[in-house]
Amino acid sequence: MTSTNSSFPKQIELKGEGLVLRDWTEADLAAMPGLFDHPDIAYWTPIVSPFDDAAARARLDRDRKLRAEGTAILLAITVDGGAPLGEVMLRRAPEGTEIGYAVGPAHRGRGLAARAVRVMSAYAFEQLGAEQVILELEAENAASVAVATKAGFRLLDVPLITGEEKGRPFRLQTWGRTRS
């Protein structure tokens, strides 16, 4: 992104839908491998695999760098501000304000991702002035398609995004939700 982005606040805590989305902290480093070192996350996301203690440190450092640049924020998904259950990301990109997410395998099936995406979308609309937020996901990722639908997104009629990551080709659909 260009340097015209204003930076994000130094600290962010978003509440809603029975969740608290909060900054990652040093105390979370030990929990991160248990959330992100999983075959589903390795396959469907750009998160590195294997995800070990060094990867956790690198992710926390990258989070802080991207926030300082005004490019992205990564927040821990929690129910009470305590133990992280997953992550939600907001990224300012040329194609729009993008949201991404990952929920640890032990915490799936509770609607955490859809709720976190709705809370982060509200932040993008209300605090950042976004007119639309997008999700980029593979049609074959049934869980992410369900999250998109539950979070109020619709499939946009735009070209697929194609590429290769981690040695495998991908074709991403773009889902969008506009400011109401």
Side-chain angles (χ1 to χ4, degrees):
M1 288 295 312
T2 65
S3 61
T4 59
N5 280 340
S6 61
S7 62
F8 292 110
K10 189 169 176 132
Q11 293 187 318
I12 299 176
E13 183 177 274
L14 307 177
K15 295 180 181 180
E17 304 227 9
L19 299 177
V20 177
L21 308 180
R22 62 158 177 82
D23 294 317
W24 287 103
T25 68
E26 300 287 328
D28 296 322
L29 289 171
M32 292 171 87
L35 297 173
F36 302 133
D37 191 35
H38 189 270
D40 287 348
I41 291 175
Y43 188 82
W44 295 115
T45 76
I47 293 174
V48 300
S49 178
F51 196 96
D52 56 14
D53 292 340
R57 167 51 59 199
R59 189 152 185 89
L60 183 62
D61 292 346
R62 182 172 180 265
D63 167 36
R64 291 173 176 168
K65 178 181 181 285
L66 293 173
R67 182 178 300 190
E69 294 171 353
T71 304
I73 52 173
L74 290 80
L75 300 176
I77 299 170
T78 78
V79 293
D80 57 5
L85 310 174
E87 175 177 88
V88 63
M89 175 270 307
L90 181 142
R91 180 176 74 97
R92 293 173 168 150
E95 57 274 9
T97 302
E98 179 187 0
I99 294 176
Y101 47 86
V103 174
H107 310 293
R108 294 180 185 160
R110 298 167 49 190
L112 296 170
R115 291 186 285 153
V117 167
R118 286 192 298 263
V119 171
M120 188 65 94
S121 296
Y123 175 78
F125 295 137
E126 296 164 13
Q127 301 299 315
L128 304 179
E131 293 298 322
Q132 177 176 263
V133 292
I134 60 172
L135 305 173
E136 295 174 345
L137 53 97
E138 294 181 66
E140 297 81 12
N141 186 344
S144 277
V145 170
V147 167
T149 303
K150 289 176 187 172
F153 285 69
R154 64 178 177 77
L155 182 60
L156 301 179
D157 186 18
V158 298
L160 292 173
I161 301 163
T162 59
E164 184 176 312
E165 185 148 24
K166 298 181 186 173
R168 78 169 187 88
F170 63 79
R171 295 167 31 104
L172 301 176
Q173 298 176 325
T174 304
W175 291 69
R177 182 174 168 200
T178 56
R179 181 192 297 263
S180 39

